[in-house]
């Protein structure tokens, strides 16, 4: 059975890409709504079996500038109330946290730009979704903001080397990851080239080039680490849709 998953996309340069491929492989059909292109963001997740919220360059509190962010937060509230399986990526992770009362703020440690080791804590290693990845796996981070403080009721599952929240759980079946399990080297190279600014020094630009080259060389390793995340999320969605009230609540098994 193929189940519909609602995907909120915020920029042409931030598509579901690899995550979308693994979700489709797991039997989910993506209904992509591009807020930046004027697509309607549904008020409810009732017609979909899951919700995925992707990343973007805007901030989680920029509702006045980006008019689809407020409806997206309303949609998050609805999904949380229904315990609909939900996954937020980077901005999506921050939007879930902000919708629950947390804050997205500039990272005091500076911007994260490149491959970063995944550091789950004990809860993360036992989590039914995040346990699909081995500790130490490489993931791509590209963010200037972080979720701080965490909302009441949220659980940190992994911490980045700069001590910021790398992954979190926000409800029975709601997760957020600050890294990008969806990104290909081509997408990342586009970010590194087009999102750098005149204020970036030659040293920063060289570091971005080196990070993109490293991703090129290690793409098979990165893909292998995060493909299971989409497949595991799809398993949880199918189990919950089939009436399994424990779906997403059981302890993860490697």
């Amino acid at each position: 059975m193929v189940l519909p998953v609602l995907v909120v996309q915020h920029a042409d340069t931030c598509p579901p890409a690899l995550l979308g491929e693994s979700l489709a492989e797991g039997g989910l059909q993506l209904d992509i709504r591009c807020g930046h292109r004027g697509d309607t963001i549904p008020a409810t997740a009732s017609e979909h079996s899951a919700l995925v919220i992707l990343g973007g360059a805007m901030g989680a509190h920029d509702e006045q500038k980006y008019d689809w962010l407020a409806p997206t937060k309303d949609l998050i509230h609805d999904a949380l109330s229904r315990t609909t399986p939900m996954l937020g990526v980077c901005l999506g992770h921050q939007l879930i946290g902000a919708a629950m009362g947390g804050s997205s703020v500039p990272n005091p440690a500076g911007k994260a730009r490149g491959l970063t080791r995944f550091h789950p804590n004990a809860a993360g290693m036992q989590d039914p979704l995040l346990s699909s990845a081995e500790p130490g796996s490489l993931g791509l981070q590209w963010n200037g903001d972080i979720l701080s403080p965490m909302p009441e009721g949220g659980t940190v599952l992994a911490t980045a080397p700069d001590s910021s929240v790398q992954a979190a759980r926000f409800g029975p079946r709601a997760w957020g990851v600050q890294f990008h399990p969806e990104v290909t080297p081509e997408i990342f190279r586009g970010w590194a080239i087009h999102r750098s600014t005149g204020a970036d020094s030659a040293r920063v630009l060289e570091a971005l080039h080196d990070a993109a080259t490293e991703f090129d060389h290690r793409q098979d390793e990165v893909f292998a680490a995060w493909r299971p995340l989409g497949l595991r999320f799809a398993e949880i969605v199918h189990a919950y849709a089939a009436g399994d009230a424990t779906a997403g609540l059981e302890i993860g098994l490697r």
Side-chain angles (χ1 to χ4, degrees):
M1 171 191 276
V2 177
L3 298 175
V5 53
L6 179 62
V7 179
V8 179
Q9 184 173 331
H10 305 280
D12 291 338
T13 54
C14 300
L18 292 172
L19 177 62
E21 291 178 12
S22 60
L23 293 175
E25 184 180 347
L28 300 182
Q29 183 175 21
L30 277 60
D31 176 5
I32 302 175
R33 307 295 179 94
C34 294
H36 63 293
R37 288 183 170 271
D39 291 350
T40 299
I41 305 300
T44 176
S46 61
E47 296 184 3
H48 296 82
S49 297
L51 174 62
V52 174
I53 308 164
L54 298 172
M58 58 287 299
H61 301 291
D62 289 346
E63 296 96 336
Q64 295 301 315
K65 188 174 181 180
Y66 304 101
D67 59 10
W68 70 91
L69 293 184
T72 298
K73 288 181 181 178
D74 291 340
L75 176 62
I76 289 169
H77 280 295
D78 178 78
L80 288 168
S81 70
R82 298 174 184 274
T83 67
T84 299
M86 176 165 50
L87 176 61
V89 173
C90 196
L91 172 62
H93 155 77
Q94 296 168 22
L95 284 169
I96 298 173
M100 292 180 61
S103 293
S104 176
V105 299
N107 188 350
K111 296 178 180 179
R113 292 174 159 177
L115 293 176
T116 305
R117 296 287 178 184
F118 174 58
H119 292 290
N121 56 24
M125 288 189 284
Q126 293 296 308
D127 184 78
L129 180 62
L130 269 295
S131 63
S132 62
E134 292 289 337
S137 295
L138 285 173
L140 191 283
Q141 285 201 214
W142 180 277
N143 59 284
D145 291 348
I146 59 173
L147 190 58
S148 180
M150 280 281 289
E152 184 176 352
T155 301
V156 176
L157 299 179
T159 304
D162 63 9
S163 299
S164 62
V165 177
Q166 194 177 41
R169 189 164 182 166
F170 299 104
R173 297 173 189 86
W175 292 268
V177 294
Q178 186 60 74
F179 52 91
H180 289 273
E182 84 283 13
V183 169
T184 65
E186 293 77 17
I187 291 172
F188 176 55
R189 189 171 290 277
W191 295 353
I193 293 172
H194 298 297
R195 293 196 186 181
S196 57
T197 69
D200 287 326
S201 66
R203 179 180 58 81
V204 169
L205 294 175
E206 182 179 0
L208 288 174
H209 172 77
D210 290 346
T213 300
E214 182 184 13
F215 197 175
D216 287 339
H217 291 160
R218 308 192 75 162
Q219 61 178 313
D220 290 345
E221 177 185 349
V222 176
F223 293 177
W226 299 108
R227 175 177 170 272
L229 182 79
L231 295 176
R232 183 73 65 83
F233 185 72
E235 290 177 3
I236 292 170
V237 174
H238 277 277
Y240 187 56
D244 183 356
T246 68
L249 305 181
E250 69 280 5
I251 293 176
L253 299 175
R254 293 193 181 281

